[in-house]
Amino acid sequence: MTLRLTELGPDDDLFPAWCEVWAAGQRADRPDDPPRPAKEHIVLGRQLIGAGGSRDGTHRAAVVDGAVAGALRVIFPLKDNPSVALVDAAVHPARRRQGIGSALLEEGVALAAARGRTDLIAEVDEPGPGAPGRAFALWHGWTCDLIETRRDLLLPPDERRLAALEEEAQKASAGYEVVTWRDRTPDALLDDRALLERRMSTDAPHGDVPMGEEAWDGDRVREHETGNLERGRTVLSAGAVTDGRLVAFTDLHIRTAEPDRAQQAGTLVLREHRGRRLGARIKVAVLRELATTLPAVRRISTYNFEGNAPMVAVNEALGFRPAGRLSTWSIRL
């Protein structure tokens, strides 16, 4: 076996094969889920090498006997967390256990060190026991800092369950208005949304993951929203407003290429407004918006830290059921 690592960008000839490594791994590990479309990797790649963003990054391909057998992406935050590098690596299922993943990981560590980054973070999808990524991380001395349970909700939800939860939440949150929007936060709520994103990085459970507070402002929110649109994602959002201020939000992402699936992204209620069932109320609102505007969606997936009892309780009340887990790992150089 002849292995070489080569730098490449999203518009290089080898990049489609780089994307296929990810797709092949996802098809092997989660055969019931469609793999991430190549367009998402391409757009993200262009964002990472563009100027003026909140992060940058680089890509490597592991080429074996002339074919791409492994993929590496390293992302560097630019506005905060200057010690952190985010490492994503994948090996084609037909080429696993041949040392390719180790070579990619070693390259990722070297790239991070060259940028002065000392805290490396990676995520491992674990559909079930014995996930290859977990054994790989342990073998290389990484530490598991956070485990989140994946839960899926099959649609349409039980209307009686949904209505009962909605009624209860409305009574508990009298005085709050629920608003919904699509793809772009209303200008009047933009600064509040930026605060919620900042607080998401400090108030949501992160276990022992070595990430600190993130710096968000309106420009970064718009950058994030534009990136979602360019990657082919529709984002439905709901929020809670009191005295003209947005104090809670939730997002659902739907890929254009997969109109029957949705991903629950961030959900947060500001700490000073908790205890009023706002999380449940805005989640019901976005589900109703989804049924009205994108009725083809048949499944929603979300991830929760089991220690986040209020959010777990809301999702279980909505009908979400466990479907694997996601673990976050780190190593310090």
Side-chain angles (χ1 to χ4, degrees), residues 190-239:
L190 185 60
D191 289 342
D192 293 336
R193 177 60 190 260
L195 173 62
L196 281 158
E197 293 289 356
R198 179 185 289 269
R199 294 279 289 271
M200 189 82 181
S201 68
T202 59
D203 292 6
H206 291 91
D208 296 319
V209 179
M211 285 281 286
E213 184 178 45
E214 295 178 350
W216 283 83
D217 56 17
D219 289 342
R220 186 168 179 179
V221 173
R222 294 293 187 229
E223 174 195 341
H224 185 67
E225 292 172 341
T226 299
N228 283 325
L229 289 171
E230 290 176 347
R231 292 163 74 181
R233 297 184 181 189
T234 295
V235 181
L236 296 183
S237 303

Side-chain angles (χ1 to χ4, degrees), residues 72-332:
L72 172 71
R73 174 172 49 222
V74 185
I75 298 175
F76 305 103
L78 298 179
K79 295 184 178 295
D80 47 53
N81 290 285
S83 69
V84 168
L86 307 174
V87 180
D88 294 327
V91 177
H92 194 286
R95 286 292 191 173
R96 288 174 177 172
R97 300 185 180 276
Q98 298 177 17
I100 297 169
S102 295
L104 288 169
L105 190 61
E106 183 179 348
E107 177 75 358
V109 169
L111 290 168
R115 289 283 296 266
R117 307 294 172 124
T118 55
D119 294 303
L120 278 61
I121 299 172
E123 292 182 341
V124 174
D125 184 31
E126 300 191 44
R134 168 171 283 270
F136 180 78
L138 287 169
W139 175 260
H140 287 279
W142 288 54
T143 299
C144 185
D145 296 324
L146 178 67
I147 296 177
E148 297 172 281
T149 300
R150 169 175 160 169
R151 288 180 169 83
D152 287 351
L153 173 64
L154 300 181
L155 299 178
D158 183 294
E159 177 55 33
R160 288 178 300 177
R161 178 195 296 265
L162 198 64
L165 185 62
E166 184 176 38
E167 181 180 6
E168 178 186 310
Q170 287 176 340
K171 289 179 179 178
S173 58
Y176 290 82
E177 176 190 3
V178 170
V179 296
T180 60
W181 64 91
R182 181 169 175 160
D183 295 328
R184 183 179 173 87
T185 305
D187 289 342
L189 303 178
L190 185 60
D191 289 342
D192 293 336
R193 177 60 190 260
L195 173 62
L196 281 158
E197 293 289 356
R198 179 185 289 269
R199 294 279 289 271
M200 189 82 181
S201 68
T202 59
D203 292 6
H206 291 91
D208 296 319
V209 179
M211 285 281 286
E213 184 178 45
E214 295 178 350
W216 283 83
D217 56 17
D219 289 342
R220 186 168 179 179
V221 173
R222 294 293 187 229
E223 174 195 341
H224 185 67
E225 292 172 341
T226 299
N228 283 325
L229 289 171
E230 290 176 347
R231 292 163 74 181
R233 297 184 181 189
T234 295
V235 181
L236 296 183
S237 303
V241 175
T242 182
D243 296 327
R245 305 301 299 272
L246 183 70
V247 299
F249 83 96
T250 188
D251 290 338
L252 280 179
H253 289 215
I254 304 94
R255 292 172 176 153
T256 304
E258 300 156 12
D260 62 333
R261 308 292 177 95
Q263 177 70 50
Q264 179 79 62
T267 299
L268 186 75
V269 178
L270 290 180
R271 186 179 300 276
E272 49 270 39
H273 294 272
R274 292 178 185 172
R276 298 175 175 86
R277 306 307 307 275
L278 289 173
R281 190 173 170 189
I282 60 177
K283 284 202 166 204
V284 170
V286 82
L287 280 175
R288 296 213 180 279
E289 184 72 11
L290 181 70
T292 300
T293 61
L294 295 168
V297 175
R298 284 293 173 263
R299 189 177 74 186
I300 302 173
S301 299
T302 189
Y303 293 85
N304 300 117
F305 172 57
E306 285 301 306
N308 188 359
M311 192 58 64
V312 170
V314 168
N315 285 331
E316 291 187 341
L318 288 167
F320 281 87
R321 295 295 178 259
R325 63 185 190 179
L326 179 75
S327 52
T328 304
W329 300 70
S330 70
I331 195 168
R332 183 168 180 83

